[in-house]
mmCIF file of all heavy atoms in Angstrom:
data_model
loop_
_atom_site.group_PDB
_atom_site.id
_atom_site.type_symbol
_atom_site.label_atom_id
_atom_site.label_comp_id
_atom_site.label_asym_id
_atom_site.label_seq_id
_atom_site.Cartn_x
_atom_site.Cartn_y
_atom_site.Cartn_z
ATOM 1 N N SER A 5 1.744 10.959 0.868
ATOM 2 C CA SER A 5 2.424 11.848 1.812
ATOM 3 C C SER A 5 2.958 13.105 1.132
ATOM 4 O O SER A 5 3.581 13.895 1.796
ATOM 5 C CB SER A 5 3.591 11.097 2.537
ATOM 6 O OG SER A 5 4.433 10.574 1.579
ATOM 7 N N GLY A 18 -19.623 7.115 5.102
ATOM 8 C CA GLY A 18 -20.282 6.696 3.893
ATOM 9 C C GLY A 18 -19.778 7.531 2.698
ATOM 10 O O GLY A 18 -20.484 7.597 1.670
ATOM 11 N N LYS A 36 -3.063 11.121 8.488
ATOM 12 C CA LYS A 36 -3.824 10.382 9.492
ATOM 13 C C LYS A 36 -4.920 9.652 8.894
ATOM 14 O O LYS A 36 -5.369 8.613 9.342
ATOM 15 C CB LYS A 36 -4.384 11.378 10.466
ATOM 16 C CG LYS A 36 -3.390 11.814 11.546
ATOM 17 C CD LYS A 36 -4.096 12.567 12.643
ATOM 18 C CE LYS A 36 -3.142 13.041 13.702
ATOM 19 N NZ LYS A 36 -3.772 13.941 14.666
ATOM 20 N N GLU A 37 -5.489 10.137 7.782
ATOM 21 C CA GLU A 37 -6.670 9.536 7.147
ATOM 22 C C GLU A 37 -6.237 8.313 6.338
ATOM 23 O O GLU A 37 -5.087 8.039 6.082
ATOM 24 C CB GLU A 37 -7.387 10.518 6.223
ATOM 25 C CG GLU A 37 -7.841 11.793 6.908
ATOM 26 C CD GLU A 37 -8.956 11.540 7.896
ATOM 27 O OE1 GLU A 37 -9.466 10.421 7.947
ATOM 28 O OE2 GLU A 37 -9.308 12.506 8.602
ATOM 29 N N VAL A 46 -4.991 6.056 -13.933
ATOM 30 C CA VAL A 46 -6.321 5.836 -13.396
ATOM 31 C C VAL A 46 -6.967 7.245 -13.195
ATOM 32 O O VAL A 46 -6.521 7.993 -12.336
ATOM 33 C CB VAL A 46 -6.356 5.072 -12.078
ATOM 34 C CG1 VAL A 46 -7.797 4.950 -11.516
ATOM 35 C CG2 VAL A 46 -5.745 3.690 -12.292
ATOM 36 N N PRO A 47 -8.070 7.608 -13.934
ATOM 37 C CA PRO A 47 -8.651 8.900 -13.765
ATOM 38 C C PRO A 47 -9.212 9.075 -12.417
ATOM 39 O O PRO A 47 -9.680 8.108 -11.819
ATOM 40 C CB PRO A 47 -9.729 8.922 -14.875
ATOM 41 C CG PRO A 47 -9.437 7.769 -15.762
ATOM 42 C CD PRO A 47 -8.684 6.771 -14.989
ATOM 43 N N ASP A 92 -17.906 -7.525 -12.712
ATOM 44 C CA ASP A 92 -16.678 -7.039 -13.379
ATOM 45 C C ASP A 92 -15.442 -7.837 -12.844
ATOM 46 O O ASP A 92 -14.663 -8.402 -13.680
ATOM 47 C CB ASP A 92 -16.510 -5.582 -13.064
ATOM 48 C CG ASP A 92 -15.626 -4.848 -14.027
ATOM 49 O OD1 ASP A 92 -15.169 -5.473 -15.016
ATOM 50 O OD2 ASP A 92 -15.304 -3.621 -13.813
ATOM 51 N N ASN A 96 -13.682 -10.451 -15.364
ATOM 52 C CA ASN A 96 -12.471 -9.902 -16.010
ATOM 53 C C ASN A 96 -11.179 -10.016 -15.238
ATOM 54 O O ASN A 96 -10.135 -9.857 -15.821
ATOM 55 C CB ASN A 96 -12.772 -8.397 -16.352
ATOM 56 C CG ASN A 96 -14.020 -8.309 -17.267
ATOM 57 O OD1 ASN A 96 -14.136 -8.990 -18.210
ATOM 58 N ND2 ASN A 96 -14.970 -7.406 -16.896
ATOM 59 N N VAL A 135 -31.669 -20.766 -12.916
ATOM 60 C CA VAL A 135 -30.288 -21.159 -12.872
ATOM 61 C C VAL A 135 -30.110 -22.624 -13.351
ATOM 62 O O VAL A 135 -29.205 -22.951 -14.059
ATOM 63 C CB VAL A 135 -29.705 -20.927 -11.431
ATOM 64 C CG1 VAL A 135 -28.320 -21.534 -11.305
ATOM 65 C CG2 VAL A 135 -29.677 -19.423 -11.105
ATOM 66 N N VAL A 172 -23.892 -10.376 1.577
ATOM 67 C CA VAL A 172 -23.266 -9.085 1.577
ATOM 68 C C VAL A 172 -24.292 -8.025 2.042
ATOM 69 O O VAL A 172 -23.893 -6.999 2.574
ATOM 70 C CB VAL A 172 -22.718 -8.795 0.193
ATOM 71 C CG1 VAL A 172 -22.150 -7.343 0.129
ATOM 72 C CG2 VAL A 172 -21.646 -9.719 -0.240
ATOM 73 N N SER A 216 -5.782 -3.511 -4.634
ATOM 74 C CA SER A 216 -6.037 -4.365 -5.821
ATOM 75 C C SER A 216 -6.986 -3.727 -6.764
ATOM 76 O O SER A 216 -6.788 -3.807 -8.012
ATOM 77 C CB SER A 216 -6.698 -5.698 -5.265
ATOM 78 O OG SER A 216 -5.804 -6.476 -4.573
ATOM 79 N N VAL A 233 -22.888 11.835 -13.513
ATOM 80 C CA VAL A 233 -21.981 12.693 -12.791
ATOM 81 C C VAL A 233 -22.759 13.943 -12.323
ATOM 82 O O VAL A 233 -23.416 14.583 -13.159
ATOM 83 C CB VAL A 233 -20.684 13.115 -13.621
ATOM 84 C CG1 VAL A 233 -19.767 14.048 -12.799
ATOM 85 C CG2 VAL A 233 -19.971 11.860 -14.039
ATOM 86 N N SER A 258 -32.205 16.178 -20.711
ATOM 87 C CA SER A 258 -33.131 15.048 -20.897
ATOM 88 C C SER A 258 -33.272 14.338 -19.564
ATOM 89 O O SER A 258 -32.415 14.290 -18.713
ATOM 90 C CB SER A 258 -32.503 14.077 -21.926
ATOM 91 O OG SER A 258 -33.164 12.841 -21.795
ATOM 92 N N PRO A 275 -30.970 5.298 -1.383
ATOM 93 C CA PRO A 275 -29.655 5.904 -1.203
ATOM 94 C C PRO A 275 -29.037 5.594 0.159
ATOM 95 O O PRO A 275 -27.848 5.636 0.242
ATOM 96 C CB PRO A 275 -30.004 7.414 -1.307
ATOM 97 C CG PRO A 275 -31.404 7.486 -1.019
ATOM 98 C CD PRO A 275 -32.070 6.255 -1.471
#
Side-chain angles (χ1 to χ4, degrees):
S5 58
K36 278 190 180 171
E37 303 292 351
V46 176
D92 200 5
N96 300 312
V135 169
V172 178
S216 292
V233 178
S258 162

